[in-house]
């Protein structure tokens, strides 16, 4: 027998023994586990259900096994929740019990084992981080301070698109310019900084490292080492790349942004609260000894991922739907024209008096939910849910996309029809007032960024529709809206070319 085969056989036997011990432990406790496909030794259900546990595949499984189901992915327990009542139980009623996060081998690297806020367990550290981040990021005061910046960035997008002769003829990949806009929207809040153009070398370095981080974290390629710990040595190469990307990225945040801001702070009085940007508040917390330097960098890391990408994906989905539904685009433009008058460019306060614009945004977030399974939740201790036992440290996926797209709960959910939010679903808001519609989650671990995301979406989509007719490229009647899902993300697969024909006022 060659050495490799011997090694694999030994590994396999060892894993089989571990799983047998694990299963017998569960049985010993006489757990009443949720239904699910029959697991096989070592692999559990992994070989049956595969790697791509996206919102659609999980909805198929829910149809088969019910609103709560259990998948054994190697040694990991994964509980999928697919009804509004159970979602309420996880996120609200038992919000503390299910308020932690699972991490995996890769997220452990990118978050320094939960030294951040998004991926840390529910407890003291999370509470402190959320409190420290609230004043600089998540209040109406922040919106009022930075909305002029967002309006300015959107105006620059309009200007640049108009300047590009390709826009009105063959079309452009609008997303590229919008990505710069989203970085500027958030870097203005964080560091009072902006990047001048898509060619800015620092912007490109940052974009590349953030892109690499997302690709590595959202990929399914490392599942085997995560599900079956004994196989982890085979992940060594992958994890090494993750570590390198993480180091280079945090170093970049530190050298080019945090240290720069510190230098500025030491030469200029920061006594005027109005001039403070987010990092000044965060550094104050560090000076007081509430958090350490690593926590500061992980806050910057979290905002780079949680804020920029999710909002950009949602803008991109919104544009795709408007291009593919010209009648909806026209109706939105008519609302903007009649409510704001010709020539008045939409501002943040305007977004609240435009019901159709808000309906378009809600419908985009319903059909094309950026985080369709929420960020995975976890119970630190054994728990009960829907009459079943949930073993400690299970990964709990709330299929928020299915809650918002289940025909049992919505009229023709596959249709992009903003009118539903003015008619039969008029009372439903994006803040979680209805457990069928949770694009930002709800409860303790819900998205605090909703307060920024909604006005940014309104200003951006509003300005684009006010200033351009958005069309598919020549020779195409629609743009491709195929989806690309990750561990818990959903974005458009192809960054389409869009024709943006300037309107004359
Ligand atoms: C359209 C844009 C956005 C969408 C769809 C979105 C969605 C979500 C979702 C679904 C969660 C997880 C909720 C849960 O697990 O129960 C989340 C968490 C989070 N989001 Fe957002 N988000 C968006 C924009 C933002 C922005 C702009 C920021 C920051 C400025 C932000 C910061 C966060 C943070 C820090 C968390 C973690 C909260 C915690 O674990 O306590 N998000 N977001």
């Amino acid at each position: 027998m060659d050495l490799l085969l011997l090694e694999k056989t030994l590994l396999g036997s060892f894993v089989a023994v571990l799983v047998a011990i694990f299963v017998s432990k569960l049985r010993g406790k006489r757990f009443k586990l949720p239904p699910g496909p029959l697991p096989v030794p070592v692999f559990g259900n992994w070989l049956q259900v595969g790697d791509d546990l996206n919102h659609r595949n999980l909805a198929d499984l829910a149809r088969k096994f019910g609103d709560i189901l259990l998948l054994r992915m190697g040694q990991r327990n994964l509980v999928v929740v697919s009804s509004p009542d159970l979602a309420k139980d996880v996120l609200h009623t038992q919000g503390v019990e299910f308020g932690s996060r699972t991490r995996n081998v890769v997220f452990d690297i990118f978050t320094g084992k939960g030294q951040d806020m998004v991926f840390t367990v529910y407890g003291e550290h999370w509470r402190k981080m959320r409190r420290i981040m609230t004043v600089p990021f998540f209040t109406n005061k922040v919106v009022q301070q930075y909305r002029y910046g967002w309006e300015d960035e959107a105006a620059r997008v309009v200007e640049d698109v108009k300047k590009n002769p390709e826009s009105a003829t063959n079309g452009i990949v609008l997303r590229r310019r919008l990505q710069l806009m989203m970085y500027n929207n958030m870097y203005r809040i964080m560091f009072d900084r902006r990047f001048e153009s898509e060619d800015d070398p620092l912007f490109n370095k940052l974009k590349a490292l953030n892109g690499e981080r997302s690709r590595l974290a959202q990929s399914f390629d490392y599942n085997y080492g995560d599900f079956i710990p004994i196989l982890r040595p085979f992940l060594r190469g992958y994890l090494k790349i993750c570590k390198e990307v993480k180091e280079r990225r945090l170093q970049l945040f530190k050298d080019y942004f945090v240290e720069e801001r510190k230098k500025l702070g030491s030469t200029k009085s920061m006594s005027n609260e109005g001039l403070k940007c987010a990092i000044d508040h965060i550094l104050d917390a560090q000076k007081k000894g509430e958090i350490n330097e690593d926590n500061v960098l992980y806050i910057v890391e979290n905002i780079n991922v949680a804020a920029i990408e999710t909002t950009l994906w949602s803008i991109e989905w919104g544009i795709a739907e408007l291009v593919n539904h010209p009648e909806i685009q026209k109706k939105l433009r008519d609302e903007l024209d009649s409510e704001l008058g010709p020539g008045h460019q939409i501002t943040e306060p305007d977004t609240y008096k435009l019901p159709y614009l808000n309906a378009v945004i809600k419908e985009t977030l319903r059909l094309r939910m950026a985080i369709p399974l929420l960020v995975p939740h976890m119970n630190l201790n054994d728990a009960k849910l829907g009459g079943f036992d949930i073993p400690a440290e299970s990964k709990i996926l709330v299929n928020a996309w299915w809650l918002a797209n289940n025909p049992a709960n919505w009229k023709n959910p596959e249709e992009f029809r903003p009118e539903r939010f003015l008619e039969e679903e008029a009372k439903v808001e994006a803040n979680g007032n209805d457990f069928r519609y949770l694009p930002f989650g709800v409860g303790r671990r819900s998205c605090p960024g909703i307060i920024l995301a909604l006005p940014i979406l309104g200003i951006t989509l509003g300005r684009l529709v006010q200033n351009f007719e958005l069309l598919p490229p020549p020779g195409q009647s629609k743009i491709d809206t195929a989806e690309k899902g990750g561990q818990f993300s959903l974005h458009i697969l192809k960054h389409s070319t869009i024709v943006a024909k300037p309107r004359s006022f």
Side-chain angles (χ1 to χ4, degrees), residues 134-146:
T134 297
V135 168
F137 290 109
F138 307 127
T139 65
N140 194 41
K141 202 172 157 201
V142 177
V143 176
Q144 293 318 314
Q145 188 177 342
Y146 288 99

Side-chain angles (χ1 to χ4, degrees), residues 324-478:
N324 286 351
H325 296 90
E327 68 296 348
I328 294 174
Q329 190 183 144
K330 179 172 180 316
K331 200 165 163 185
L332 175 57
R333 188 171 298 118
D334 288 348
E335 180 185 71
L336 289 159
D337 285 353
S338 66
E339 285 300 315
L340 305 181
H344 173 84
Q345 299 284 307
I346 182 173
T347 62
E348 181 267 339
D350 297 327
T351 58
Y352 307 101
K353 48 185 190 204
L354 296 161
Y356 199 66
L357 173 65
N358 286 306
V360 166
I361 292 170
K362 282 186 197 171
E363 183 68 340
T364 303
L365 296 171
R366 184 191 67 79
L367 191 63
R368 309 295 193 174
M369 223 174 255
I371 320 274
L373 305 172
L374 308 185
V375 178
H377 284 240
M378 189 253 276
N379 51 317
L380 278 173
N381 304 304
D382 291 345
K384 290 241 179 232
L385 188 63
F388 295 102
D389 291 303
I390 310 296
E393 299 192 6
S394 294
K395 177 169 170 175
I396 316 289
L397 293 181
V398 175
N399 194 346
W401 178 84
W402 181 232
L403 302 182
N405 284 272
N406 183 344
N409 298 326
W410 299 78
K411 202 166 123 188
N412 300 330
E414 67 294 343
E415 243 180 76
F416 184 79
R417 186 172 59 88
E419 285 75 8
R420 75 177 78 243
F421 285 105
L422 303 172
E423 295 165 11
E424 74 270 21
E425 308 294 357
K427 291 204 176 82
V428 179
E429 298 294 341
N431 64 7
N433 71 340
D434 185 318
F435 284 88
R436 292 171 307 149
Y437 183 61
L438 305 171
F440 295 93
V442 67
R444 289 165 181 76
R445 297 309 290 257
S446 67
C447 177
I450 182 174
I451 193 168
L452 313 182
L454 291 178
I456 292 175
L457 280 164
I459 293 166
T460 310
L461 291 175
R463 292 248 175 160
L464 287 172
V465 171
Q466 270 186 313
N467 289 283
F468 303 102
E469 204 181 330
L470 302 166
L471 303 160
Q476 260 176 254
S477 63
K478 289 213 183 291

